[in-house]
Amino acid sequence: MTGPVAGPATDSVTDSATGSTIVSVIARQRVDDLEAAVPFYERLTGRTADRFDFAGVRLAAVGPFLLFSGPDEAVRRVAGVNATLAVADLAAAVAEGVAGGATVVVPPQATPNGRRAVLRHPHGGVYEYVGPGE
């Protein structure tokens, strides 16, 4: 989720030039109290939160939102990412990103919910890409 998790697909966008498919975009939000924040997002989305821990951070995926809280040092690593992009094929998305000028910040690795990589786009944005386990 980001964050090492992707929520349920909300839209699917295929780049016709490369064939890359972004299954969904996950909005990331730091919250002070995860348990106090989750009910609002559950009501807003009509979805039940999927809670998990990753890299010292407590997270909850609720529809298109990834909420996270924890110690400042651990949260800074998560908060430095603009959004999470769920993709159909992580290896292809990373290869296409690099071919287009992106820099790999975190290479593909296993997470509790599949695989992830973090790329810095050529225009400065940092995005987490998540895909199914391989």
Side-chain angles (χ1 to χ4, degrees):
M1 179 212 54
T2 158
V5 66
T10 55
D11 288 312
S12 182
V13 179
T14 301
D15 181 327
S16 60
T18 63
S20 176
T21 300
I22 296 175
V23 178
S24 65
V25 177
I26 309 300
R28 301 162 69 97
Q29 176 66 50
R30 181 179 187 176
V31 296
D32 291 330
D33 183 339
L34 189 70
E35 294 310 314
V38 163
F40 170 82
Y41 290 91
E42 287 181 328
R43 282 190 306 274
L44 183 66
T45 64
R47 305 244 173 104
T48 302
D50 179 22
R51 295 170 175 84
F52 58 98
D53 296 308
F54 182 76
V57 178
R58 185 77 181 138
L59 302 105
V62 190
F65 297 96
L66 180 64
L67 311 175
F68 57 94
S69 66
D72 282 343
E73 183 177 321
V75 166
R76 274 193 293 272
R77 291 189 303 267
V78 175
V81 174
N82 297 99
T84 298
L85 308 174
V87 295
D89 184 333
L90 182 61
V94 170
E96 290 166 7
V98 169
T103 304
V104 175
V105 176
V106 177
Q109 58 185 237
T111 71
N113 299 56
R115 294 184 54 79
R116 77 185 281 260
V118 177
L119 280 72
R120 180 179 315 281
H121 288 188
H123 308 100
V126 177
Y127 296 89
E128 175 185 52
Y129 286 75
V130 296
E134 295 173 3

